[in-house]
Amino acid sequence: AQDQREADRQRPGGRTVAVFGAKGGCGASTVAHNIAWSVGKTFATDVLIADFDLAWGTAGLDFNQDPTQGVFEALNAPERVDDTFLDRLLTKCSDHLAILGAPAMLDRTYDQQTHDFDAIVEVARGIMPMVVLDLPHSWTAWVKHQICAADDVILVTTPDLAGLRNAKGLVDTLKAARPNDAPPHLVINTVGMPKRPEIKAEEFAKALD
């Protein structure tokens, strides 16, 4: 798997950033969307948000868009996924930001296999300098695969005991799975909330080495 990642990165293409929440409701999607918007705005470079939270994705809501098609259509027609097809599925949010929207509907279940998203990510890397993967809070084979294959990983958590435990497990798992990659970046979200006990950032970082 490590050799395959290195081979992938030697091919020309955009940078992939996987954003994953260590616990539900920690604001990982908000962080992902803000990173994408900020990079596009600050550096005037094209950025794609790939909303892979098929049932509950919020990229469309956060950017006041109502995509009629997106990632689900690509998953249903993997043999058609190329530059032209994927470009038709994107929703433009600004001069430099586009989203590949999630259906966010519960009329079906979403039981994806390990490599189902690979073609989408590979083609997206070919047409965008940066691809931000907004991943659901679930630990499935395909989610782990996308995190391990990304160029950069951003873990979002909260400054409480559950957030520390989950972040610790994820950091240890990713260091073992990505021994030649940079360690994941850690965002401790909702710090300084009134009347809420929290673990200090310094103690949090020390526990995660």
Side-chain angles (χ1 to χ4, degrees), residues 33-69:
H33 302 165
N34 278 312
I35 288 171
W37 183 88
S38 297
V39 169
K41 181 74 171 178
T42 304
F43 300 103
T45 188
D46 292 339
V47 183
L48 171 65
I49 298 172
D51 191 345
F52 285 171
D53 192 348
L54 300 178
W56 312 105
T58 58
L61 288 174
D62 282 355
F63 291 98
N64 197 29
Q65 302 290 330
D66 186 20
T68 58
Q69 54 188 2

Side-chain angles (χ1 to χ4, degrees), residues 55-89:
W56 312 105
T58 58
L61 288 174
D62 282 355
F63 291 98
N64 197 29
Q65 302 290 330
D66 186 20
T68 58
Q69 54 188 2
V71 65
F72 191 66
E73 285 68 27
L75 288 171
N76 278 344
E79 72 286 350
R80 297 180 59 196
V81 176
D82 58 16
D83 295 7
T84 302
F85 181 65
L86 193 65
D87 188 64
R88 289 204 302 264
L89 299 179

Side-chain angles (χ1 to χ4, degrees), residues 22-163:
K23 55 180 289 191
C26 67
S29 288
T30 300
V31 171
H33 302 165
N34 278 312
I35 288 171
W37 183 88
S38 297
V39 169
K41 181 74 171 178
T42 304
F43 300 103
T45 188
D46 292 339
V47 183
L48 171 65
I49 298 172
D51 191 345
F52 285 171
D53 192 348
L54 300 178
W56 312 105
T58 58
L61 288 174
D62 282 355
F63 291 98
N64 197 29
Q65 302 290 330
D66 186 20
T68 58
Q69 54 188 2
V71 65
F72 191 66
E73 285 68 27
L75 288 171
N76 278 344
E79 72 286 350
R80 297 180 59 196
V81 176
D82 58 16
D83 295 7
T84 302
F85 181 65
L86 193 65
D87 188 64
R88 289 204 302 264
L89 299 179
L90 303 184
T91 300
K92 289 286 289 184
C93 299
S94 69
D95 289 342
H96 295 291
L97 181 65
I99 62 174
L100 182 63
M105 297 176 63
L106 303 181
D107 58 342
R108 60 183 76 91
T109 57
Y110 306 98
D111 303 311
Q112 307 310 133
Q113 302 303 307
T114 303
H115 297 282
D116 283 357
F117 292 85
D118 287 0
I120 298 172
V121 174
E122 190 62 25
V123 172
R125 290 177 66 244
I127 63 176
M128 287 286 187
M130 182 174 180
V131 181
V132 177
L133 308 180
D134 182 6
L135 298 170
H137 176 64
S138 59
W139 197 242
T140 62
W142 76 262
V143 169
K144 182 180 179 182
H145 172 65
Q146 289 303 325
I147 294 174
C148 289
D151 293 303
D152 295 290
V153 178
I154 298 175
L155 300 179
V156 183
T157 190
T158 49
D160 52 28
L161 195 57

